[in-house]
Structures are given as structure tokens and as C-alpha cells.
Amino acid sequence: MTLLWLLGLILIIAVLAWKRVGLMNASVVVGGYLLAMTLLGPVHWFIDLLLWALFLGVAIPLNMTDWRRRSITTPLFHWFRKVLPPISDTEREALEAGTVWWDGEIFTGRPDWNRLHSYPQPVLTEEEQAFLDGPVEELCRMTNEWQITTELQDLPEEVWQFIKDNGFFGLIIPKEYGGKGFSAFAHSQVAMKLASRSGDLGSTVMVPNSLGPAELLLHYGTDEQKNHYLPRLAAGQEAPCFALTSPEAGSDAGAMPDRGIVCRGEWEGQEVLGLRVTWEKRYITLGPVATLLGLAFKVYDPDGLLGEREELGISLALIPTNTPGIEIGRRHFPLNAAFMNGPNSGTDVFIPMDYLIGGQEMIGHGWKMLMNCLAVGRSISLPAGGTGAAKMASMTTGAYARIRRQFNMPIGEFEGVEEALARIGGNTYVMDAARRMTAGAVDLGEKPAVLSGVVKYHITERMRQCMNDAMDVHGGKGICMGPKNYLGRGYQSVPISITVEGANILTRSMMIFGQGAIRSHPFVLQEMLATQDPDEQQAIARFDALLYEHIGHALGNAAGSLLLGLTAGWLAPLPDHLDHGPRRRNLRRSGNDSPRKTPDYRHSAHAGDADIRRYYRQLSRLSAAFATLTDTSMLMLGGELKRRERLSARLGDVLSYIYLASACLKHYHDQGDPVEDLPLLRWGVEDLLAKIEQAMHEILLNFPDRAVGIALRVIIFPLGRRLKPPSDLTCHRVARLLMTPGPMRDRLLDGCYVSEDPTDVTGLLNHSLGQIILADPIEQRLAKARRSGELDHDSDADELAVAAESGVISPEEAKLVREAREARRAVIEVDDFSQEEMRPRQAG
């Protein structure tokens, strides 16, 4: 009985902490329980006295606000201010850039699933859909990847002209300036479809609509700059680029040596105030053909022409490339990709002040401008490009695995190939869900600084996995370059997206959690800002309120992690659409409350509800565990956490996987809970759940304080690690989905360029797939007839003619099989070249 009373006390404290009950109310409840235990329980008087002493020793001082602030908070305040790691100006601006969205919910440890589903599903307007069905479709149709990458090393002139004439460079520019004024989701859809056809085509259109002059002008440009440049950019009269990366300052862009000196100089016959700029940049997409150069550099004012400060910080300018002194270098050649990319430089190039984006008053604000725009750009372009490539891999590899035969069966029916197909399909589903959800956030007005890093890293990495698996399935078909190869160039160029807009290694190990732990945490950034308040008494009062909320938050998450771990997440709240039994919910959705026969849920839209409920519950449990790991790591390591990159990377992985799984669940619900897509949802979420537990396991194995790591393991894995990766049956179903045309495959490939033209490199594949499927039952009858001896013919005879003459199949069926076999042979053919064609071209 004593043990039961003590367990009851522990349970009450855990529940109070998990439910975030206020300090005073919690003290009353615990005090009441102790009183009942003293009066009614069989607890020994010594244990009773010890418990009361502990309770009163904690509850009384903490509830005495003035004493608490003076004796506890003030020393902690001064200690925190002392140990707070120094933050550079660029780090500060990065932290202040963008907004906090669903990442903030994950850091609370208690994600509100109803809030997630209240975000509207991103949709296209009629105008946006018409653009995708018209100009985008036509641009894909007129693009030939082999011609671009091998014969021309450039887009054909007619493609360039079509891009300009149809406003592809003005997708994000408002209509009042002559642009399309498309939503972020429409921008993502356009970029994804183009990338599914050609990576070079996608890159060429993405850059002007991403981090570049147009977006910077929209947010920070003067009215004069907007009115002059935006219509010209929208009409394709200007080709823009943006120069940020220097040879000595890549990922550490804040260390750029490029400089502009404030001075007076002659401009258009008059002496004006301006800057003399010197720079050297490289890796600049569209740089070789740009007419308008966006440039980042540091401004210095040694003569005090603008004030007393000499170092004014990073600033941004917009400079016509025909300005005297600008040197546009020769082209780079990134992995045989043909999109325009190259270096540029300038020495003491004089520009007037009105070339600065936003004018003179925006001097020194360049890094913040870049971080805000990068938060949006990284949410759209690279996720769209990566997803487009993955959808192309899903389409082509699924079809090829059904068409290509070995050992008298489609290669997609071998379990080893199934495993690769399942990864391609499952990863594509996860990528598309995250891409849609993040683009939808941008359309809601968010600038998801942390989440843009999440999708940039994880979508490009999963795209790499998709392309690797696609190449493995295609084998020799994938490695022989030529006009018939639809994978090779995409496979070659995978590292480009891994490298640009923040190298993936640094994005994972330094940026995602390093920025998120401060920016997205409900208290840390506010606590840091509180210590900087010049009014110390006010700062201490503010810090006191935040500190004890933070302590309650940490204890609540630890308690939640333990309770949810012990109950397999059953105590976690579910979203409203899953909060009723399946029969009642089916009646409610039908609008009919009258009793009726219970449907067969194995074939209903709710067949997977049990699994889906489990996914939400497990994500709630793991979110609480993640918040506990975050607070413990920050408490134990403080500023040292920045240098523990492996620990930071794994914590970032957990944050990322929870976000990706949330996106999968929202995507499934937004699509109307299609039961046919359950294998894709299962593969995606179960893969992510298993990876979350693995990352947490590795964090605990390598936690700096071994004893704390052991204690955390008890809280986070009280029943051990129990989440498993997708089953073989799930993998089998995903693989079959990729090989079978129908609504399920269409939903997965939605937004991908799909050609049915047999003269097109991927159109032949799609056209042949239909023929193969029609011929398969006839091929099976032929095989049966051969085995039974009913079909017997000489090796030199035409088997199909003999089968038709003998009545095994009809002449029409023989014709169908013949055409399917010819189509199969056309699909598996690879290119070959003469010795003369393979010799290097002579210069000149």
C-alpha cells in the first residue's frame, strides 16, 4: 500500500507537469494528496516527514515571487548572461530572419494536430493551372535534354525566346509590374514540372524567381527601382543573376572579402556620392548571360561621408552588367550541366548610391535581406527541383521495371528490385508532401527560415537516393549515354543541388538545429533577448517569468515522454477528424445520421485509421522526447553545443523527420484519405518514425554526460525501441503501384511531365507500358501453351504466326503481342556511336 501511494504521487506529479498545470495550482494538488496520504495512508512517519520537507522546501520559495527573483532568478540571470555564447552580427540577423511556423509546434513537445489540418490545402487558380497546362507543357515538349547537354551546351535559341515571351522569368512578379503574380505553390508546380523534364531547364527558370533581384526588389526596392526593373524582368528584357559566393567565402558568406568604399565620383557627367566596389564571385547561375547583376559586398566609410561608423556591414546592389569595369568571366562547367553558370569580378567599379537595393538607407542590412529572401527561396526552388527529379525517376523506373524482363518475368517482380522501387516511390511521396506543405506556408505569409533548411537538405538527399536506386534498376540502360538515356544527366548533376544554397553537410550539422534551437524554441530566444534589456530590474522580471515557464515546459515534456512511452502514445490527443469511431465518422461524412449497415472497412477510406492514429500518437510521443533532448542538451552544453556538430546534426534529423512525417499525414488528409495510397503513407511515415528512434538512440549513445544519457534513455525509451521500418509487404505494394498505371500512380506523379508520344525519350516508355500490360495476359497463355505442348514450333518459325494458326490465340492477339514485343525492344535499346563520333572535336 505504501508503494501504491508513492506511485500515485509520482503519477500525479507527472500528469500535472505534462498538462502544464500552473505552479500554484500544482502545489495545491500535490499538497492535498500529501495531506490525504498522511491522514489515510499507511506510510511510515519518517517517509511522510521527508516528503513534506521536500514539498514545502520547493513549493514555498518558488511561489514567493519576490524572494524567488531575488535569491534564485537574479544569480541565474547573471550566470546566463555570462555564459551566453557570443553571437555575431550575421548570426543575429539570421536568427531574426524569417518566421516560426510548424517547427515551433514541434519544439513545444505538444504539436497541435488540429492546427496542422486547419492550414488550407495549397491549390492552383484557373489561371495558374492554365499556364501549367499550356506554356509549361509546351516548353517541356520542345525541350530535348541530349541536345541541350551535349550538342549545344545551352538551351536552344527558340527555348530561350519562348521562356522570355511567356513570362517564365516573372512568375513571382506582381501583375501591376507585368508579371504573373503566381502563388508560391504555383511557382513550385512550374519549377517541379520543368525539372522533371530537364534539370537545366528547371535551373534556368528557377533562379530568376528565387533568391535574386526580383524577390529582393519586391521586398526592399525603392518605388523607382521597382517601377524601372520589375517590368523589364517580367518581360524577359533583363536576364538577372545574383552574386554572393566568393572563392574564400562559400558557406561562410559573412566572411566575404568583397568591399565597397563610400566616396564621391563622376556619374553621367556629375559628381555624386557612391561606392567604389571591388569583388570576385563565382558559381553564379545565369551569370554568363546576365544583363543585371545583383551583388553582395561589405561597405566601408573610411572618410566618414555617411557618419562616424567606418564598417557599415553587408549591403546589396543591382548593377547593369555593361557598367564600366565589370568583368563577366568564362563559363563554369558543373558536371556536364548546361545551365549558364560562371564567375564575375570588378575592381574599383564606381556605382551611384541609387544602385543599392532599397537605396542608401539599406546600407548594412544586406544580410538580413538575404536571410529573409533565402527563407522563401530555399522553400521553393530546390525542393521543387528535387521532387521533379524524383517523380521522373518514379515514372520511368516503375515503367521500365514492368517492361524489362529477365528469367521470363518483369524485373520489378524480383524482391531486390521491389526494395529499390519502394524507396523511390516512398521517398517521392514524402518529398512531395513536404514540398506542398512548405510552399503552402509561404502562401500563408510565412518565411520559414528553419524549415526551408529542412526541406532543402532532406528533399535533395532523398532525390539523391531516388536517382541512385533508379540507376541500379536500369543497369546498362542507365549508364550508356545518348539520346535514349533519360536518367544519366540527372544522375550526373545530383551533387549540384546538394551543394548550392548552403552545402548539405553544413545545413545538417550546423544550420537546422543550430538555428532552430534558438529561433523556434518557445523560450530560448526570448530569454536571450531578455538578458540584453538595459533596464536590469525589468530584464530580471522578464527573465524570471520566462525561466519558470521554461522549467515547466521542460518538466512537462519529460513527463509527457515518459507517460506516452509507457502507454505507446495512447494518452496523446488525436486530430478531430480521427477522434470518433470509424462508423460514426462515416455517417457524419455522408451527411446521414440514420442507422445503416456497417461498411466493410477493408475497402473503405478508413481502412488505415488504426495505423494513422498510431502515427499521430507516436509523433506526439517523439515530439515530447525531442523537446526533452533539446532542453537537456542546451542546459548541459550551452554554447559548446554549436561545436558538437554530430549531436546537433542528429537533433536536427529528429526535428526534420517529425516535420516530414507531419507533412505526409497532412498530405494524405488533404487528398481525401485515399485508401489506395495507404502503402505510400505507411512507407513514408514508418520509415521516418524508425529513423527518429535511431537518431535518438545515437544521441543517447554519444551524449557527453554518460549518466545523464542513461537517465534520458529511461524517460525516452521506457519500454525500449519499438518502431520498425516499413514491412516487406508495404514495399511490395508500393513497388506494384509504381508499375501499374491508374489513379494511385497518377496522384504520385501529379505535376510531373508525362509524355505519351512514342517518338519522345520518356513518351516511348509510357506508351510501351500500356502495350505491355495489354499483352501480358496473352503472353501468359502462350507460356502455358508452350509448357503443355499445345504450342510447338521450329526455332526458325514465327511463334506468333503458329499460335494464331493453331488457335492458341487470335490473329488480333498475335498482332498485339508482336507490337508489345517490338515496343519492349525499343525501350531497352541503348545508344551507340561510331569511332568518328566519339573522337574529341577539334578546336575551331
Side-chain angles (χ1 to χ4, degrees), residues 289-306:
V289 295
T291 62
L292 197 58
L293 172 67
L295 184 67
F297 55 93
K298 291 181 177 178
V299 173
Y300 299 87
D301 184 16
D303 297 329
L305 297 178
L306 299 180

Side-chain angles (χ1 to χ4, degrees), residues 387-630:
T387 307
K391 290 198 176 201
M392 184 276 293
S394 294
M395 175 185 71
T396 57
T397 312
Y400 187 79
R402 181 70 178 265
I403 294 169
R404 182 77 163 109
R405 296 177 69 87
Q406 293 286 279
F407 305 102
N408 295 317
M409 61 189 293
I411 63 171
E413 294 182 7
F414 292 94
E415 290 192 355
V417 176
E418 274 191 350
E419 185 178 6
L421 286 173
R423 280 197 301 267
I424 294 171
N427 278 324
T428 300
Y429 187 84
V430 173
M431 293 159 68
D432 198 30
R435 175 192 69 89
R436 286 171 175 268
M437 182 162 145
T438 311
V442 175
D443 280 330
L444 292 174
E446 301 291 342
K447 296 179 179 179
V450 175
L451 295 179
S452 67
V454 169
V455 291
K456 188 275 174 183
Y457 172 81
H458 286 277
I459 288 182
T460 55
E461 288 293 340
R462 284 176 181 255
M463 179 267 291
R464 171 156 45 189
Q465 178 72 69
C466 288
M467 296 304 291
N468 284 342
D469 284 326
M471 288 294 286
D472 286 350
V473 173
H474 280 79
K477 172 72 175 178
I479 65 174
C480 290
M481 296 301 295
K484 296 174 184 175
N485 189 320
Y486 41 78
L487 278 179
R489 290 300 188 214
Y491 175 80
Q492 277 184 315
S493 61
V494 162
I496 298 173
S497 60
I498 301 295
T499 300
V500 300
E501 291 192 18
N504 273 14
I505 288 178
L506 294 183
T507 298
R508 174 177 178 258
S509 61
M510 295 179 65
M511 295 174 63
I512 292 176
F513 184 77
Q515 186 178 4
I518 297 174
R519 186 73 177 90
S520 305
H521 193 284
F523 300 106
V524 171
L525 182 58
Q526 295 182 62
E527 289 167 339
M528 292 171 64
L529 295 175
T531 63
Q532 298 175 5
D533 191 328
D535 185 336
E536 185 167 294
Q537 292 305 311
Q538 182 175 300
I540 290 173
R542 183 179 167 197
F543 183 77
D544 177 80
L546 291 168
L547 176 64
Y548 289 97
E549 278 192 78
H550 191 164
I551 292 172
H553 161 86
L555 293 175
N557 284 321
S561 178
L562 179 62
L563 291 171
L564 295 176
L566 290 169
T567 60
W570 277 93
L571 296 177
L574 292 169
D576 287 345
H577 73 277
L578 289 173
D579 216 11
H580 303 279
R583 173 173 164 77
R584 173 62 186 167
R585 185 170 58 262
N586 197 53
L587 293 171
R588 176 169 55 81
R589 286 188 175 182
S590 69
N592 179 8
D593 285 332
S594 60
R596 65 180 183 180
K597 183 179 178 181
T598 302
D600 181 357
Y601 290 108
R602 290 173 299 173
H603 305 289
S604 77
H606 310 295
D609 275 6
D611 282 342
I612 294 169
R613 286 191 181 93
R614 179 171 62 87
Y615 298 155
Y616 281 106
R617 287 170 172 143
Q618 290 299 330
L619 285 173
S620 292
R621 173 180 78 85
L622 295 169
S623 180
F626 166 69
T628 300
L629 281 172
T630 296

Side-chain angles (χ1 to χ4, degrees), residues 52-187:
W52 274 107
L54 289 172
F55 169 68
L56 295 175
V58 172
I60 291 176
L62 291 185
N63 281 288
M64 297 172 62
T65 306
D66 291 339
W67 184 90
R68 181 186 72 203
R69 286 183 184 172
R70 183 174 61 254
S71 302
I72 301 176
T73 304
T74 298
L76 284 175
F77 174 85
H78 290 296
W79 171 82
F80 187 72
R81 177 184 277 180
K82 182 179 179 180
V83 301
L84 190 67
I87 301 175
S88 68
D89 290 340
T90 53
E91 286 178 312
R92 185 185 305 279
E93 289 176 339
L95 288 172
E96 293 174 352
T99 58
V100 175
W101 190 57
W102 188 247
D103 44 327
E105 283 288 321
I106 296 171
F107 270 97
T108 66
R110 303 179 65 182
D112 184 345
W113 301 116
N114 288 321
R115 180 184 175 193
L116 176 70
H117 292 297
S118 72
Y119 297 132
Q121 177 185 359
V123 294
L124 299 172
T125 65
E126 291 184 7
E127 180 185 1
E128 292 166 344
Q129 187 63 59
F131 186 77
L132 277 159
D133 295 339
V136 177
E137 186 79 9
E138 179 61 25
L139 182 56
C140 290
R141 190 180 300 116
M142 63 193 295
T143 299
N144 182 304
E145 183 80 349
W146 179 254
Q147 179 192 38
I148 292 171
T149 59
T150 305
E151 297 174 4
L152 299 177
Q153 274 299 317
D154 191 5
L155 301 181
E157 183 57 38
E158 62 270 20
V159 171
W160 274 110
Q161 197 59 48
F162 189 89
I163 288 171
K164 295 174 182 178
D165 291 346
N166 288 274
F168 280 86
F169 285 168
L171 300 180
I172 66 171
I173 295 175
K175 291 183 178 181
E176 57 263 36
Y177 297 107
K180 299 292 183 185
F182 282 175
S183 65
F185 180 60
H187 174 197

Side-chain angles (χ1 to χ4, degrees), residues 200 299 370 511 806 832 844:
D200 294 308
V299 173
L370 287 171
M511 295 174 63
S806 63
D832 50 49

Side-chain angles (χ1 to χ4, degrees), residues 88-98 211 216 220 242 244-245 249-256 281 296-298 312-316 362-375 511 515:
S88 68
D89 290 340
T90 53
E91 286 178 312
R92 185 185 305 279
E93 289 176 339
L95 288 172
E96 293 174 352
L211 176 60
L216 289 163
Y220 303 106
F242 191 84
L244 175 62
T245 303
S251 297
D252 184 13
M256 68 179 70
K281 303 288 189 180
F297 55 93
K298 291 181 177 178
L312 301 181
I314 295 173
S315 304
L316 310 180
M362 295 305 292
I363 288 178
H365 295 283
W367 192 246
K368 185 175 182 179
M369 295 159 67
L370 287 171
M371 289 299 99
N372 276 314
C373 290
L374 189 62
M511 295 174 63
Q515 186 178 4

